[in-house]
Amino acid sequence: LVLSLAWLGPALGGEDKDEEVIEEEEKEKKEEEVLSDEIKEEDNVLVLHEHNFARALSEHQLLLVEFYAPWCGHCQQLAPAFAQAATELRNESSPARLGKVDATAQTALATEFGITSYPTLKLFRDGNRTHPLAYTGRMDSQGIVRWMQRRAGPSATLLQDTDTTAAFIDSKDLVVIGFFKDLRGEAAQAFFEVAVEMLDMTFGVAEAAELFQAYGLSADTICLFKKFDERQTNFPVDPARGLDTAELTRLLRVHSLQLVMEFTNETSNQIFSAKIPHHMLLFLNKSSPEQLSLQDGFRAAASGFRGEVLFVVVDVTGHGADVLPFFGMTAANAPTLRLVKMENNRKYQMEQDNFSDSAIRTFIRAVLDGKVKPHLLSAEPPEDWDTRPVKVLVGKTFEQVAFDETKNVFVKFYAPWCPHCQAMAAAWEELAERYKDREDIVIAEMDSTANELENITIHGYPTLHYFPAGPGRKMVEYKSTRDVETFSKFLENGGTLPEEPPVTKTPGNSTGKEDPSALGTDESRDEL
């Protein structure tokens, strides 16, 4: 009988009761773990929740916390680098530690710190949880480590004598030294703020009178020392205005670049992050000694435009080959010059290339004074451009079609490589097929990588613009869902969408607002 009951136990539900007890015990154990302020670690990253967060802040002077969501792809991509940075900081016995919070589970913490996107990184200093600092560094292990090191130690090395200062200057290709009469004054404190943020530069600070004298200074001054171009560049502190951190950051960025940069894989980030409004480009073939000699005049012209125009040499047979299509060029066009206005990517070229320093200066000044029209790319119109339902526009034909006062013209500006453009191609063809017999409506497209327009700048792909019939050269940007039915409503309603009823609230959408990611608008557009 006992043996029989043992075999029948599972069928009678005896085992289920035991499993329920076990599950309940495990649940209680997990709840106790969560309620505890014990801090566990995963790969040297502190695992934080609302019950141990205060303890973590009290135990760690500098704590960088990643607020993440388990399903977030960017968070998953960051995880190995974040763990590696945590390990490096711990191995060097740094006071800085890294922690993480699952913001989807720890909603109280997410609300307290205003977490609206993932991952969000915040730095907590000296246990203060009311004013965390937003992370501003690179999202890789070395970027995180350097960002934390600058905040864990002094941001600038104190220099006290001429020998130490000379050795400091000689130690790097580029160093920044702030000379201040009072290191506790407002100007010095502003300098330290800049030093904390500019991780790719080495900073020193000095207040000894002998050092002021040794470097020819009489008042508070920031000096940039370089092993190229000008060896010492001085930025005096204005006694009335003090030291503006944004302006000093800009000046250091501009003057840390070589007077003439070569466009390479290593320098491209420097070139574009300097935020210099114009770039003057010399395209040449570096294997040609004759073309290499053109750099002399180019360099001679550069000195008068530092900070306003960045001079860049582009080797058409090297790293620069990849950018040639952007200019509608091939390697055979070298040597040649182009000036680019960075805010709108407008390109300017001489009527006839002249590589003398005086000619280059004159050309640049004319462009800056608005006396030169931009050089606009245009492909040749295909022979059958207007025979298919989707009309194919190019730079040369755009005006006559888009601003035809008898037509309502709907244009897709696209890039051939853009996946979002490819995804909506079928819908655009179907829309054109639907309206091919309408005399008053034209559905068109233009490859914006091969064609440019003087008064319309395309910032992302695809971009959709509607040009209504009638006078006035009006233009309306379409920003709604990219499907045939919504396109049709837009066209039938004269370039606007009819009012829709309020969105019904659904679980997980407590605001009643549409989720932007479902619209297929900016979130599904390739930015330039």
Side-chain angles (χ1 to χ4, degrees):
L1 180 61
V2 172
L3 184 60
S4 300
L5 287 173
W7 279 100
L8 287 170
L12 296 172
E15 286 295 321
D16 288 344
K17 185 176 180 182
D18 290 342
E19 286 176 6
E20 288 174 7
V21 170
I22 292 170
E23 286 177 7
E24 190 64 31
E25 288 175 350
E26 287 180 352
K27 183 179 178 183
E28 289 176 0
K29 184 179 178 183
K30 285 182 179 179
E31 286 178 353
E32 286 175 4
E33 287 177 357
V34 172
L35 290 171
S36 168
D37 69 351
E38 180 186 357
I39 301 174
K40 296 193 173 181
E41 298 186 17
E42 292 178 3
D43 298 324
N44 293 307
V45 177
L46 309 181
V47 180
L48 305 176
H49 48 74
E50 59 182 293
H51 298 290
N52 66 8
F53 199 83
R55 176 179 172 182
L57 293 185
S58 67
E59 291 182 356
H60 301 289
Q61 179 187 354
L62 288 171
L63 182 61
L64 180 66
V65 179
E66 176 200 3
F67 294 86
Y68 72 97
W71 46 259
C72 163
H74 294 299
C75 304
Q76 295 163 9
Q77 187 177 0
L78 175 63
F82 200 70
Q84 184 180 339
T87 301
E88 288 187 34
L89 289 168
R90 185 154 196 189
N91 288 344
E92 65 184 34
S93 300
S94 170
R97 292 298 306 272
L98 305 189
K100 63 181 180 180
V101 171
D102 178 352
T104 64
Q106 303 299 318
T107 53
L109 290 176
T111 301
E112 179 181 355
F113 300 115
I115 307 304
T116 58
S117 62
Y118 311 112
T120 294
L121 277 62
K122 291 182 179 287
L123 176 68
F124 296 84
R125 184 189 290 273
D126 299 324
N128 185 331
R129 69 188 290 161
T130 59
H131 294 90
L133 181 68
Y135 178 77
T136 56
R138 299 198 320 259
M139 288 295 205
D140 59 58
S141 60
Q142 285 308 304
I144 294 169
V145 168
R146 293 196 67 182
W147 196 86
M148 293 298 283
Q149 286 172 335
R150 277 288 170 95
R151 284 152 181 81
S155 59
T157 302
L158 178 61
L159 305 169
Q160 296 179 307
D161 58 64
T162 53
D163 289 343
T164 305
T165 304
F168 181 79
I169 292 170
D170 194 51
S171 66
K172 304 279 185 183
D173 287 344
L174 183 151
V175 300
V176 183
I177 301 179
F179 293 85
F180 299 99
K181 298 293 181 70
D182 179 8
L183 292 182
R184 290 161 297 281
E186 289 185 8
Q189 296 308 308
F191 176 79
F192 290 131
E193 288 179 29
V194 171
V196 162
E197 293 297 336
M198 299 190 74
L199 304 181
D200 54 340
M201 294 188 190
T202 301
F203 287 79
V205 68
E207 65 175 344
E210 66 171 300
L211 293 177
F212 274 79
Q213 185 177 357
Y215 292 94
L217 307 172
S218 58
D220 288 0
T221 306
I222 290 86
C223 298
L224 178 63
F225 295 93
K226 300 180 288 187
K227 292 183 179 178
F228 54 88
D229 298 337
E230 315 93 337
R231 297 292 168 159
Q232 178 178 336
T233 305
N234 296 343
F235 307 109
V237 177
D238 187 314
R241 290 174 48 240
L243 187 61
D244 183 282
T245 56
E247 177 63 10
L248 177 60
T249 300
R250 188 191 70 81
L251 288 170
L252 292 177
R253 284 273 172 243
V254 166
H255 288 268
S256 67
L257 297 174
Q258 294 185 27
L259 188 60
V260 177
M261 300 286 291
E262 181 177 350
F263 181 65
T264 67
N265 188 47
E266 291 73 29
T267 63
S268 60
N269 187 54
Q270 280 181 285
I271 288 169
F272 294 113
S273 66
K275 294 184 172 56
I276 295 176
H278 305 86
H279 289 182
M280 184 67 189
L281 310 179
L282 168 60
F283 293 88
L284 52 77
N285 185 333
K286 288 189 72 176
S287 63
S288 164
E290 183 181 352
Q291 292 189 27
L292 277 175
S293 67
L294 300 176
Q295 293 180 101
D296 296 338
F298 193 64
R299 171 173 285 279
S303 59
F305 295 98
R306 189 185 274 282
E308 189 174 21
V309 181
L310 179 61
F311 282 61
V312 184
V313 172
V314 182
D315 180 10
V316 296
T317 60
H319 187 64
D322 293 337
V323 303
L324 294 178
F326 176 69
F327 294 90
M329 292 167 44
T330 67
N333 294 116
T336 188
L337 296 160
R338 295 288 187 277
L339 189 145
V340 183
K341 186 175 289 188
M342 299 304 292
E343 68 174 358
N344 55 16
N345 282 327
R346 290 287 178 262
K347 307 170 190 72
Y348 301 81
Q349 71 179 81
M350 294 180 174
E351 290 184 13
Q352 182 69 43
D353 279 322
N354 185 328
F355 300 95
S356 71
D357 59 323
S358 60
I360 293 171
R361 280 194 293 267
T362 300
F363 171 69
I364 293 173
R365 186 49 58 196
V367 172
L368 298 184
D369 291 342
K371 297 177 180 177
V372 181
K373 285 195 171 183
H375 173 73
L376 302 173
L377 295 179
S378 177
E380 291 300 320
E383 291 184 7
D384 62 345
W385 73 270
D386 63 345
T387 60
R388 296 190 300 108
V390 177
K391 312 307 177 188
V392 180
L393 305 185
V394 297
K396 295 176 180 179
T397 60
F398 182 83
E399 286 274 324
Q400 70 188 63
V401 176
F403 294 109
D404 182 339
E405 295 186 3
T406 67
K407 311 283 188 187
N408 297 291
V409 184
F410 202 10
V411 183
K412 175 183 71 173
F413 298 88
Y414 74 98
W417 47 260
C418 161
H420 300 304
C421 304
Q422 294 161 9
M424 70 164 283
W428 202 247
E429 291 285 347
E430 185 180 339
L431 181 72
E433 188 69 32
R434 182 177 294 190
Y435 287 94
K436 67 180 181 181
D437 296 326
R438 284 280 296 267
E439 290 292 327
D440 61 327
I441 291 179
V442 174
I443 307 301
E445 65 182 13
M446 189 174 88
D447 177 356
S448 289
T449 67
N451 300 278
E452 296 172 323
L453 305 171
E454 185 168 359
N455 297 312
I456 300 174
T457 302
I458 304 302
H459 295 288
Y461 303 122
T463 290
L464 307 177
H465 283 312
Y466 174 76
F467 301 85
R473 297 172 64 88
K474 298 185 181 73
M475 180 177 77
V476 178
E477 184 172 2
Y478 177 90
K479 293 184 176 182
S480 190
T481 315
R482 299 190 200 120
D483 62 66
V484 177
E485 296 309 319
T486 313
F487 288 152
S488 287
K489 288 180 186 177
F490 179 78
L491 289 171
E492 297 295 343
N493 208 46
T496 61
L497 284 170
E499 288 289 327
E500 298 286 349
V503 178
T504 304
K505 293 186 181 182
T506 57
N509 183 11
S510 60
T511 62
K513 296 180 180 177
E514 285 191 75
D515 177 3
S517 62
L519 293 177
T521 53
D522 287 346
E523 283 74 13
S524 57
R525 191 164 78 161
D526 284 302
E527 298 301 317
L528 295 177

